[in-house]
Amino acid sequence: MGIDGHSLKGRETRPIAAFDFDGTLTVRDSLNAFLTWRFDTRRLILGLARLAPAAASYLVHRDRGRLKGALLGEFLAGETEAEFRASADRFARERFEKLIRPDALACWEDWRRKGALRVIVTASPEPLVEPFARALGADLLLGSRLAVAPNGRVLGPLAGPNCRGPEKVV
């Protein structure tokens, strides 16, 4: 399914241009930028301090998805997915111009003119990147998925693998 909710069937013959998001289309990591935008310094410091055990265990297991799940759990667990999406929408509206790299945007638009299927593949949570993908006119967004409880509340861990490195190819 495309970012616009329409089927991609019949578009298979188009060239595909897949772009990473963080550091490729953007000047910095979007999740970190979002967290510093959303939370005050005191909350960030307290949250990062509470993440010390997860950071220490990362030195043993080297699982970035697990560490990202702990980070998401610390800062987002308990809020509804709708609240997170609303915050992501506001963040994208306020920070789009500062986060998107002009040179990458020019390349992105060049692929549009060539008729390519434009795909964003990111390790960042899909709901965070989705408003940027819509604004960019992406045909498809593939990213890390959030675990959400049946009541619509964000749980923290990822729902599936972290869409990073070799997982982006999968």
Side-chain angles (χ1 to χ4, degrees):
M1 204 50 77
I3 194 72
D4 59 3
H6 295 94
S7 171
L8 296 176
K9 190 172 178 144
R11 299 184 196 179
E12 302 86 24
T13 59
R14 294 168 54 188
I16 298 172
F19 283 71
D20 176 48
F21 191 66
D22 297 307
T24 301
L25 285 170
T26 66
V27 296
R28 63 181 287 211
D29 180 86
S30 61
L31 181 56
N32 289 334
F34 172 77
L35 293 174
T36 58
W37 169 83
R38 176 127 180 242
F39 298 102
D40 64 28
T41 304
R42 182 177 181 277
R43 173 64 178 99
L44 287 169
I45 291 170
L46 288 172
L48 292 173
R50 283 195 289 263
L51 286 168
S57 70
Y58 171 77
L59 297 174
V60 176
H61 61 68
R62 297 294 210 200
D63 183 344
R64 286 187 187 218
R66 195 162 134 189
L67 184 59
K68 184 181 292 178
L71 178 76
L72 293 169
E74 174 61 37
F75 289 101
L76 301 177
E79 74 177 50
T80 67
E81 185 178 19
E83 290 167 336
F84 177 52
R85 287 179 182 280
S87 290
D89 284 342
R90 282 192 312 276
F91 173 67
R93 280 193 309 273
E94 289 181 22
R95 298 297 168 111
F96 185 91
E97 297 294 324
K98 291 180 181 175
L99 278 177
I100 299 297
R101 291 179 40 197
D103 59 330
L105 184 57
C107 183
W108 177 262
E109 287 303 315
D110 188 45
W111 280 107
R112 180 189 56 77
R113 286 187 292 277
K114 293 175 182 174
L117 182 81
R118 295 176 303 160
V119 181
I120 296 174
V121 187
T122 181
S124 287
E126 284 183 352
L128 176 60
V129 179
E130 193 172 303
F132 289 94
R134 278 194 311 269
L136 290 165
D139 295 292
L140 186 63
L141 169 63
L142 303 170
S144 298
R145 293 177 296 118
L146 290 175
V148 178
N151 67 0
R153 298 213 175 264
V154 175
L155 296 172
L158 297 176
N162 188 21
C163 189
R164 180 183 181 277
E167 186 61 31
K168 287 186 178 188
V169 176
V170 174

